[in-house]
C-alpha cells in the first residue's frame, strides 16, 4: 500500500483496561514512528453510555454496541480485539472472513479448539493479504528484544535453564470482588491464561524452541468471592507452577500467580547458559542484567544494561539518550509492527499459529495439574 493512500481505519472492540491501553497506542503510533496513517474510527462496548464516554476520552470518532456492524464498516480496515477471551474466536474469525486485518489480545483463545479455528482462519485470510497478530506485548519491551538477540547470537552459550515467573497480588484480599477473569466460561483459566501465557510465549520467543513436555501444579486459594448477587464460586486457578522440557534440551520453570503479596507487576525472566546468563523484571523494564563468564576472572558477575539508547530496539522513535520507557509504550511498539507488516504485505509475529502453540502448552499445564501430582508416601521411613 502506498503512504499516499487514505488512512487505515481502526475499530477497537472492548474498552476496559486493554481497550484503554490499545486506544492510547493507536493515538500515539503516528506521532512516534514512521508508519502508515491510522484513523480511530470506532470503539465498541456493551453499554452505549459507557462506551460513548470512553470513546470521547480516548479520542475515537464514534462508539457502538454492535461489533459486527462496526467490523463491516467500509472505513474500517483493522479490527483490534480487547474483549474477554471467550469472544476472541467469534469476533476474529468474522473479521478475517470479511478481509479485515486483526490484532487480538492474549491469550489467543480460551481453548485449543478455538485457537485452532482462529489459526486456520488466519492462514486462509493471509492468502488474500490479510495480516493477523497476537498481542503478546512483552515481545515489544526493548530489553527483551535485546535479550532475545543476545541468546540468538550465542552470548549465553548453550541455553540450559530458564526461570520465568509472573507475580501480581491484586487478588490477595479474599474480599476482592468477582470479575470475568475469575469465571472459566469467560476467561478460560485464571493466572494460567492471564499471566502464564506471557511466560510461555517468552519461553518460545527467547529460545526459539518448542515445549515437548510439562509437569504442573495449580491452586485456587480463595474459592468464593463476593459477586453482584452474593458469594460466587471462583472456577479458575489462582496460581500455577510448572516445569517445561524444551525440544532444544533446556528446561524452563514457569509460574504465574495473582496472589503474591507485594508483587505488583513482577514479570521476572532469568536465562542460564554455558557461557552466561541474563535477568529481567518488568518492574524495572528499562534494565537488562547480563553475566558473561568470558569476563576476566576478577570481573565476573552481572552488569546492568540501561536499554534506553537509540541503538536499542524501538528507542529511535522516542527520545534522545537516557529517557526510560513505560509499560504502555509496548502497545505502541506492537501496533507499529502490525502497521509495518500491513504496509509490507508480510505476516506479523506472534502469529495465530504461534498463539495456538502457547494454547497447547497452557492446556498441557492444566491437564498435568489436574492429573499427575504424586503424593508423598504416608508410610513411615523404613
Ligand atoms: C492482569 O492483571 C494483566 O492486566 C494482564 O491481563 C496483562 O496481560 C498484563 O500485561 C498486565 O496484567
Amino acid at each position: 500500500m502506498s503512504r499516499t493512500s487514505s488512512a487505515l481505519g481502526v475499530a477497537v472492540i472492548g474498552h476496559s483496561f486493554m481497550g484503554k491501553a490499545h486506544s492510547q497506542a493507536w493515538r500515539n503510533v503516528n506521532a512516534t514512528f514512521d508508519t502508515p496513517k491510522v484513523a480511530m474510527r470506532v470503539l465498541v462496548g456493551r453499554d452505549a453510555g459507557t462506551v460513548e464516554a470512553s470513546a470521547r476520552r480516548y479520542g475515537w470518532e464514534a462508539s457502538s454496541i454492535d461489533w459486527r456492524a462496526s467490523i463491516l464498516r467500509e472505513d474500517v480496515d483493522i479490527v483490534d480485539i480487547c474483549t474477554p477471551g471467550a469472544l476472541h474466536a467469534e469476533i476474529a474469525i468474522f473479521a478475517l472472513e470479511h478481509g479485515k486485518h486483526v490484532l487480538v489480545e492474549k491469550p489467543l483463545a480460551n481453548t485449543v479448539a478455538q485457537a485452532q479455528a482462529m489459526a486456520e482462519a488466519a492462514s486462509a485470510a493471509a492468502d488474500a493479504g490479510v495480516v493477523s497478530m497476537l498481542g503478546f506485548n512483552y515481545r515489544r519491551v526493548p530489553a527483551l528484544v535485546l535479550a532475545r538477540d543476545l541468546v540468538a547470537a550465542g552470548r549465553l552459550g548453550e541455553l540450559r535453564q530458564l526461570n520465568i515467573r509472573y507475580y501480581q497480588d491484586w487478588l490477595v484480599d479474599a474480599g476482592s470482588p468477582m470479575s470475568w477473569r475469575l469465571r472459566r466460561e469467560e476467561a478460560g483459566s485464571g493466572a494460567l491464561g492471564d499471566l502464564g501465557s506471557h511466560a510461555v510465549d517468552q519461553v518460545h520467543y527467547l529460545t526459539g524452541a518448542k515445549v515437548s513436555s510439562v509437569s504442573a501444579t495449580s491452586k485456587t486459594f480463595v474459592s468464593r468471592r463476593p459477586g453482584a448477587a452474593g458469594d460466587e464460586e471462583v472456577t479458575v486457578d489462582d496460581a500455577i507452577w510448572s516445569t517445561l522440557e524444551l525440544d532444544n534440551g533446556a528446561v524452563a520453570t514457569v509460574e504465574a500467580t495473582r496472589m503474591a503479596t507485594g508483587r505488583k507487576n513482577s514479570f521476572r525472566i532469568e536465562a542460564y547458559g554455558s557461557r552466561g546468563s541474563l535477568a529481567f523484571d518488568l518492574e524495572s523494564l528499562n534494565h537488562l542484567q547480563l553475566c558473561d563468564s568470558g569476563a576476566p576472572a576478577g570481573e565476573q558477575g552481572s552488569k546492568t544494561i540501561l536499554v534506553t539508547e537509540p541503538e536499542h530496539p524501538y528507542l529511535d522513535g522516542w527520545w534522545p539518550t537516557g529517557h526510560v520507557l513505560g509499560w504502555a509504550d509496548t502497545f505502541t511498539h506492537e501496533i507499529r509492527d502490525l502497521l509495518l507488516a500491513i504496509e509490507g504485505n508480510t505476516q506479523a509475529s506472534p502469529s495465530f499459529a504461534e498463539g495456538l502453540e502457547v494454547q497447547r502448552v497452557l492446556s498441557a499445564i492444566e491437564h498435568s495439574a489436574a492429573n499427575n501430582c504424586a503424593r508423598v508416601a504416608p508410610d513411615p521411613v523404613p
Side-chain angles (χ1 to χ4, degrees):
M1 64 170 282
S2 79
R3 286 285 172 86
T4 54
S5 59
S6 61
L8 286 166
V10 184
V12 162
I13 302 173
H15 63 107
S16 300
F17 182 6
M18 283 301 126
K20 178 178 179 181
H22 284 228
S23 297
Q24 176 175 292
W26 285 113
R27 226 177 27 249
N28 285 343
V29 68
N30 287 153
T32 309
F33 294 106
D34 184 17
T35 57
K37 291 290 170 274
V38 298
M40 295 174 69
R41 300 293 186 208
V42 59
L43 181 67
V44 182
R46 285 193 179 131
D47 171 80
T50 54
V51 69
E52 186 191 2
S54 294
R56 255 198 320 277
R57 279 186 59 211
Y58 302 163
W60 291 90
E61 293 169 9
S63 63
S64 169
I65 58 172
D66 184 338
W67 61 262
R68 285 184 183 80
S70 299
I71 289 173
L72 292 177
R73 285 174 51 153
E74 287 292 317
D75 62 356
V76 167
D77 307 286
I78 301 171
V79 176
D80 181 359
I81 304 168
C82 296
T83 66
L87 298 173
H88 288 184
E90 182 183 15
I91 297 173
I93 292 170
F94 182 86
L96 290 165
E97 288 176 347
H98 287 87
K100 311 291 179 166
H101 307 295
V102 172
L103 170 62
V104 62
E105 259 295 325
K106 44 49 69 180
L108 183 61
N110 284 358
T111 68
V112 172
Q114 290 168 357
Q116 179 83 41
M118 294 171 78
E120 287 165 2
S123 175
D127 296 341
V130 175
V131 175
S132 49
M133 182 187 200
L134 178 50
F136 279 119
N137 59 302
Y138 297 134
R139 290 192 180 207
R140 272 64 196 193
V141 175
L144 289 179
V145 179
L146 178 59
R148 191 271 319 266
D149 293 347
L150 289 170
V151 170
R155 290 289 299 277
L156 274 58
E158 178 200 350
L159 206 52
R160 293 167 173 158
Q161 295 175 230
L162 294 100
N163 306 127
I164 304 182
R165 62 166 181 73
Y166 202 156
Y167 281 14
Q168 294 179 345
D169 72 356
W170 57 278
L171 285 173
V172 163
D173 177 0
S176 298
M178 276 303 285
S179 75
W180 67 267
R181 290 180 185 270
L182 298 167
R183 297 187 187 97
R184 177 169 298 279
E185 67 274 15
E186 293 190 77
S189 62
L192 173 65
D194 186 20
L195 304 180
S197 61
H198 278 300
V200 172
D201 181 61
Q202 280 295 316
V203 169
H204 292 153
Y205 177 65
L206 293 173
T207 68
K210 281 196 171 184
V211 178
S212 47
S213 69
V214 307
S215 65
T217 299
S218 70
K219 188 83 179 177
T220 301
F221 293 105
V222 176
S223 56
R224 300 189 70 80
R225 289 184 180 269
D231 264 10
E232 189 178 332
E233 186 188 5
V234 172
T235 52
V236 295
D237 57 279
D238 278 329
I240 64 101
W241 301 261
S242 64
T243 303
L244 316 180
E245 292 202 73
L246 310 188
D247 63 6
N248 66 351
V251 178
T253 59
V254 162
E255 299 177 41
T257 178
R258 301 174 298 193
M259 309 284 271
T261 311
R263 299 291 184 193
K264 297 307 173 188
N265 202 12
S266 177
F267 185 30
R268 182 162 180 81
I269 297 173
E270 299 176 8
Y272 297 90
S274 58
R275 277 198 45 221
S277 62
L278 60 82
F280 166 86
D281 193 323
L282 184 64
E283 290 183 348
S284 302
L285 70 87
N286 293 279
H287 296 142
L288 181 68
Q289 292 183 326
L290 177 66
C291 171
D292 181 346
S293 56
E299 296 169 30
Q300 292 289 322
S302 286
K303 67 177 181 181
T304 298
I305 303 169
L306 182 59
V307 191
T308 59
E309 301 311 291
E311 58 270 12
H312 289 135
Y314 301 109
L315 269 299
D316 62 317
W318 293 102
W319 323 115
T321 171
H323 290 72
V324 298
L325 296 184
W327 173 81
D329 297 323
T330 63
F331 295 96
T332 304
H333 299 166
E334 180 173 83
I335 283 169
R336 164 199 181 270
D337 293 348
L338 173 68
L339 291 171
L340 294 180
I342 291 169
E343 181 180 50
N345 194 25
T346 57
Q347 278 307 310
S349 179
S351 65
F352 285 14
E354 291 174 279
L356 171 59
E357 201 53 42
V358 171
Q359 211 73 41
R360 286 184 175 131
V361 176
L362 298 181
S363 176
I365 288 173
E366 202 155 44
H367 178 80
S368 171
N371 294 284
N372 68 359
C373 209
R375 295 282 164 221
V376 175
D379 305 337
V381 175

